[in-house]
Amino acid sequence: MSALTPAADRFHSELTELSTLVDGDRPGWTRRALSETDIAGRHYARSLMDSAGLSTRIDGAGNVIGVLPGRLGGREIMLGSHTDTVDGGGRYDGITGVLGAIEVVRLLRENDIRLDHDLVVVVFFNEEPNDFGFFCVGSRAMTGRVDRSMLAATDIHGRTLASALPDSGIDPEAFLRARYDFSKVAAFLELHIEQGPELERMDRQIGVVETITGINHFRALFTGRQDHAGTTPMDVRADAGCAAAGTVLAVEAIAESGTNTRGTSGQIAFTPEAVNVVTARAVVEGEFRGPDGSWLQEAERRLTEAAAQQAAARGVHVEMEWTTDDAPVPLHQPITSAIAEVADDLGFSRATMFSGAGHDAGIIAAKTQVGMVFVPSHDGRSHCPEEFTELTDILPGISVLLETVLRLDSSLT
Ligand code: HGY
Ligand code: MN
Ligand code: MN
């Protein structure tokens, strides 16, 4: 195995370089999709893919796709993750899996190992939620889960996704047609940091993901009446801000009623933003997550009702949109077993896990067999600037990724 040991220094310097391509006006390590820095990040990843020997192209949805041809041709094993981040995010979410996949390609080539399958590496466009209410945008386009109504979705300033995409070099019509032919993909693997505390708590090196959480993402728009904060009596107000606040608390209460369920209102905006004006318009965006699809449907129903009550009690109008409605995704047993076996054979401790984070792997799982390899996150922190994984904790993940590719290459057709 020693010849196939990931090059720690190389990986570390690339991780440093890519993670520091950040938006200087934002906190943390920010490289949001649809921004200049995201373009720079994907450009950098593509240059590494080119120099690793992949033939690269960008599809209609902004996904960077690199191919290392195999001996037999026509059948593929696909690896991938993303390079965009949340606002104020961390250095490891996404890029660990992108750089890990590129490292796998290099190790194969440096050791003159030619796979039977073509090895395809994908940098998925826009994995994190964008301002239009969508996430995993590139993988959805590749799997045909996008439509024209998505292009018409607006951000809080009224700009449409269709008008934002060209700034990232994406033609909206090409976006709708950017389907990938998954009939030739035998398996998909994604390496990722855990983003939670379980592996560290259990003192395990590798997480083998069994299920990826379901995510129901909402946007609630409350329209009330703008009035003077000092002269308008409480009983005649239509305060959109209060209806929004009641909805935020309903999200918390509903999420607390389930097992391993989560509810978060991560974004709220009041218009106008003035301390002495009753709020005319409020927008709350948030989501429910959990391992049980029927609970998510019930949570969706309960929140829609709660928001309607909060609005009606104040003479406020509400429009509730559920922009994504992704059921929990069980990953594929032949692939998860292969990952577990590889981890055991390489002498890494491991655990099977539930992923509370969403991933492109969950979208791709509708089209081919999918497995995910997790490595620990220090203190379980993620989506924050403190997000950290020791290099010595990442390298076992790359080794497992590589060895799983080798095994699947010989066992899958
Ligand atoms: O939001 C998520 O779970 C992921 O990190 N994109
Ligand atoms: Mn993330
Ligand atoms: Mn991620």
Side-chain angles (χ1 to χ4, degrees), residues 84-118:
D84 62 319
T85 72
V86 295
D87 189 32
R91 282 172 288 173
Y92 298 85
D93 179 357
I95 70 172
T96 302
V98 167
L99 297 176
I102 296 170
E103 185 61 19
V104 165
V105 171
R106 289 206 193 96
L107 290 169
L108 291 172
R109 294 198 69 224
E110 287 166 2
N111 291 280
D112 292 322
I113 300 171
R114 185 114 193 248
L115 300 178
D116 286 345
H117 293 76
D118 294 351

Side-chain angles (χ1 to χ4, degrees), residues 191-211:
L191 169 69
H192 207 281
I193 56 165
E194 180 201 337
Q195 308 183 268
E198 302 304 329
L199 287 173
E200 218 175 52
R201 272 191 200 148
M202 293 184 285
D203 196 21
R204 303 290 165 87
Q205 291 169 288
I206 297 292
V208 184
V209 178
E210 278 192 317
T211 306

